[in-house]
Amino acid sequence: MKKHKEILSRFGINKTQFRIDLLSIFFDCKSSLTTHEIFERFNKKINKVTIYRALKSFEQKGLIHQVPDKNNLKKYSLCNLDSCSPDSHNHQHGHFICYSCDQTFCLDDSTIKIIKTSSGHIVKNYNLILEGYCTDCNSSQTIFQN
Amino acid sequence: MKKHKEILSRFGINKTQFRIDLLSIFFDCKSSLTTHEIFERFNKKINKVTIYRALKSFEQKGLIHQVPDKNNLKKYSLCNLDSCSPDSHNHQHGHFICYSCDQTFCLDDSTIKIIKTSSGHIVKNYNLILEGYCTDCNSSQTIFQN
DNA sequence: TAAGAAAACGCAAAAGTGTTGCGTTTATTA
DNA sequence: TAATAAACGCAACACTTTTGCGTTTTCTTA
């Protein structure tokens, strides 16, 4: 896809077939992926080392970022490509992980508001993981208030 | 210490010397611990497998819980012993990871307020990871507002 | 408090995740 | 299109975590 090639160029990454496909997978999934999941999506036809190196490269160039995972695996999400670059990552969104179907959903900025931390720490970045039951697995609405 | 033995009993864990000492370490620790850090605190005199099994047991019984770590290692913190049990963990608080010293701090409920999710998902637990510079590494105050 | 049952332990081995070195292939550039 | 740089595959390695098994310790209860 032409769009993906342009993005790779813009972020200074060589346009190999694998990296075009990898970016495409991130666009399709719109959430986070483990190296294992990526390996599976390529039907194990690609070397794992290649995946690890591509992910490291994508991350350094500001295309994807790591997301903490429940099982402590390396997991990556597509960045907001307008606000991330090799110089700085800026992520202001959360993820929702379903207990039942294990899917990960992206939550856009407006769903979450973090009012303040009074801890005295200097916050440079944040990452929010919500866990529970997704809309499909439990079709009711909730307002979560702390 | 008598208090620690009582807690182990209450959570249905056998009171071996190692597990008493391990619980004691968690009480002493301000933030969270990796298996490696625990191994070090026992001067490498205890088998690593024993540590892994004790942590798994403590977690299942509701005594400790996993916290996210920058380097994707398993890291554990003491639970709020009044709200966690073998049946359910209730962690609605954030973690702060320091860029400088790599420590993970638990932020209690009052420091963070999540106003709402309008996503339609049912939120059972949440995990908020804040990244930046901790009080010790950069001794100034901050209010973080989104 | 002694005996049987259950849990915890140590050791060795293995599984899983991620990294490094190196020679080859592919893409970029000029 | 030739030289340079980046990406790739393979093999080996490092590290964290898990599993199997026989032994030791703790718990239960009679």
Side-chain angles (χ1 to χ4, degrees):
Chain A
M1 203 182 189
K2 193 150 177 288
K3 185 182 80 172
H4 299 155
K5 288 190 182 181
E6 284 171 2
I7 291 169
L8 291 176
S9 288
R10 179 147 56 91
F11 283 81
I13 297 166
N14 279 10
K15 300 185 283 287
T16 64
Q17 192 55 53
F18 166 67
R19 293 188 176 205
I20 294 165
D21 294 342
L22 180 59
L23 183 56
S24 176
I25 285 174
F26 272 107
F27 269 103
D28 289 346
C29 132
K30 290 233 168 192
S31 63
S32 47
L33 294 163
T34 60
T35 51
H36 185 259
E37 284 164 348
I38 292 166
F39 188 56
E40 294 290 325
R41 298 211 186 193
F42 281 95
N43 295 313
K44 306 178 182 180
K45 297 275 170 57
I46 201 82
N47 194 285
K48 279 187 176 177
V49 178
T50 303
I51 298 174
Y52 284 113
R53 285 200 263 236
L55 290 172
K56 181 173 280 183
S57 173
F58 277 24
E59 188 186 17
Q60 284 171 346
K61 302 288 183 167
L63 214 47
I64 61 173
H65 66 279
Q66 280 192 47
V67 173
D69 169 62
K70 203 164 43 175
N71 302 310
N72 295 83
L73 300 174
K74 293 237 173 188
K75 207 165 189 176
Y76 293 88
S77 267
L78 202 61
C79 290
N80 176 338
L81 301 187
D82 295 325
S83 58
C84 289
S85 71
D87 298 324
S88 74
H89 281 273
N90 256 307
H91 309 118
Q92 310 251 314
H93 69 273
H95 289 94
F96 180 92
I97 301 173
C98 182
Y99 284 145
S100 177
C101 65
D102 266 11
Q103 267 191 280
T104 304
F105 302 86
C106 279
L107 306 170
D108 65 36
D109 300 3
S110 64
T111 57
I112 310 291
K113 281 202 185 302
I114 297 171
I115 297 300
K116 65 167 185 173
T117 76
S118 54
S119 58
H121 305 312
I122 294 182
V123 177
K124 290 294 184 186
N125 215 339
Y126 75 81
N127 212 319
L128 176 64
I129 312 262
L130 303 178
E131 295 177 342
Y133 297 95
C134 76
T135 318
D136 288 344
C137 290
N138 196 333
S139 58
S140 52
Q141 291 276 335
T142 187
I143 300 292
F144 177 59
Q145 187 116 23
N146 176 31
Chain B
M1 205 184 187
K2 191 148 179 289
K3 184 182 79 171
H4 300 152
K5 287 190 181 182
E6 283 171 3
I7 291 170
L8 291 176
S9 288
R10 179 147 56 91
F11 283 80
I13 297 165
N14 278 9
K15 302 186 282 285
T16 65
Q17 191 55 53
F18 166 67
R19 293 188 176 205
I20 295 165
D21 294 342
L22 180 60
L23 183 57
S24 174
I25 285 174
F26 272 107
F27 270 103
D28 290 344
C29 176
K30 276 187 303 185
S31 61
S32 52
L33 294 163
T34 61
T35 50
H36 184 261
E37 285 164 348
I38 293 166
F39 188 57
E40 293 292 324
R41 297 209 187 195
F42 281 95
N43 295 314
K44 306 180 183 178
K45 296 275 169 57
I46 200 83
N47 195 284
K48 279 186 177 179
V49 178
T50 302
I51 297 173
Y52 284 112
R53 284 200 262 238
L55 290 172
K56 179 173 281 183
S57 173
F58 277 24
E59 188 185 18
Q60 284 170 347
K61 302 288 184 167
L63 214 48
I64 60 173
H65 66 278
Q66 282 192 43
V67 300
D69 170 64
K70 197 162 73 173
N71 302 311
N72 292 82
L73 299 174
K74 294 239 173 185
K75 209 165 189 178
Y76 293 88
S77 268
L78 204 59
C79 288
N80 177 338
L81 301 188
D82 295 325
S83 61
C84 290
S85 70
D87 298 325
S88 74
H89 280 272
N90 270 302
H91 306 121
Q92 307 211 335
H93 61 271
H95 295 101
F96 182 93
I97 300 173
C98 182
Y99 284 144
S100 178
C101 65
D102 266 14
Q103 279 201 95
T104 303
F105 300 87
C106 286
L107 306 171
D108 65 38
D109 297 2
S110 65
T111 57
I112 311 286
K113 282 199 184 302
I114 294 174
I115 295 301
K116 64 165 185 172
T117 76
S118 54
S119 56
H121 306 310
I122 295 182
V123 177
K124 290 294 185 185
N125 281 313
Y126 72 79
N127 213 331
L128 174 65
I129 299 104
L130 302 176
E131 295 178 338
Y133 297 94
C134 76
T135 319
D136 286 344
C137 289
N138 196 332
S139 57
S140 53
Q141 291 276 334
T142 188
I143 300 291
F144 176 61
Q145 187 119 23
N146 176 31

